[in-house]
Amino acid sequence: RGVLAGDGTDLLATRRGAPGGSWRALGGRRPPGAGAPLAGPATTDRTAYDETLKGRWLANRRTPEDLARAVERFERAIAADPEHAPAHAGVAIASVLLLHWERPGSRTVRDRAVEAAERAIALDPGLPEPWAARAMVRIFDRDWAAAEADFDRAIEVAPGDAQARQW
């Protein structure tokens, strides 16, 4: 079996077995600054989880076509589990990235990013991504103080997450 739970065919079961167990099994200690152990998935719905992972992969490719496809994947995840905050955060992040490719004044993409970020924040205020996404929209809106407050909150909830510091 190895260190992770399951045989690797059930990603959710494998991920549930990962927090802390792999560090101990390998005889190591958590490195300084590594942050808290991984939390379990924010959903038990396999479709929502899988679609969120596929959406993240597409969003990380950063092309306009892949960002649009990422939004579709995240929306499928939301359809499977409307309470899955990481999927809402994914819509927000992918939409913000699309704003770089579309006209910055594109209200449809901008509004989708804000709505998704605010829904993700309402569901899980401990996720850094929606705070960073909303901060980016506020930069496009030239609302510097609100953007700074959202970036500060993203860093506060996840000091080891690089995205808020990168943006």
Side-chain angles (χ1 to χ4, degrees), residues 113-165:
V114 171
E115 289 169 16
E118 290 178 351
R119 179 68 177 140
I121 290 167
L123 290 169
D124 185 353
L127 286 178
E129 295 92 345
W131 294 102
R134 192 171 72 176
M136 284 303 297
V137 171
R138 289 179 167 178
I139 285 175
F140 288 126
D141 293 345
R142 292 180 166 73
D143 187 349
W144 313 120
E148 181 178 19
D150 280 350
F151 279 132
D152 287 346
R153 182 67 180 143
I155 292 167
E156 180 184 323
V157 299
D161 186 77
Q163 190 168 42
R165 295 176 191 274

Side-chain angles (χ1 to χ4, degrees), residues 68-153:
R69 289 174 49 213
V71 169
E72 292 171 9
R73 292 291 188 163
F74 291 128
E75 288 174 348
R76 288 182 199 163
I78 292 166
D81 181 357
E83 305 298 307
H84 188 43
H88 291 279
V91 170
I93 292 291
S95 297
V96 163
L97 292 169
L98 272 171
L99 283 172
H100 290 283
W101 293 98
E102 299 198 11
R103 293 174 295 121
S106 176
R107 298 305 290 182
T108 305
V109 176
R110 179 222 171 271
D111 293 346
R112 180 178 63 209
V114 171
E115 289 169 16
E118 290 178 351
R119 179 68 177 140
I121 290 167
L123 290 169
D124 185 353
L127 286 178
E129 295 92 345
W131 294 102
R134 192 171 72 176
M136 284 303 297
V137 171
R138 289 179 167 178
I139 285 175
F140 288 126
D141 293 345
R142 292 180 166 73
D143 187 349
W144 313 120
E148 181 178 19
D150 280 350
F151 279 132
D152 287 346
R153 182 67 180 143

Side-chain angles (χ1 to χ4, degrees), residues 31-49:
L38 294 173
T43 185
T44 56
D45 185 285
R46 180 159 187 142
T47 300
Y49 188 74

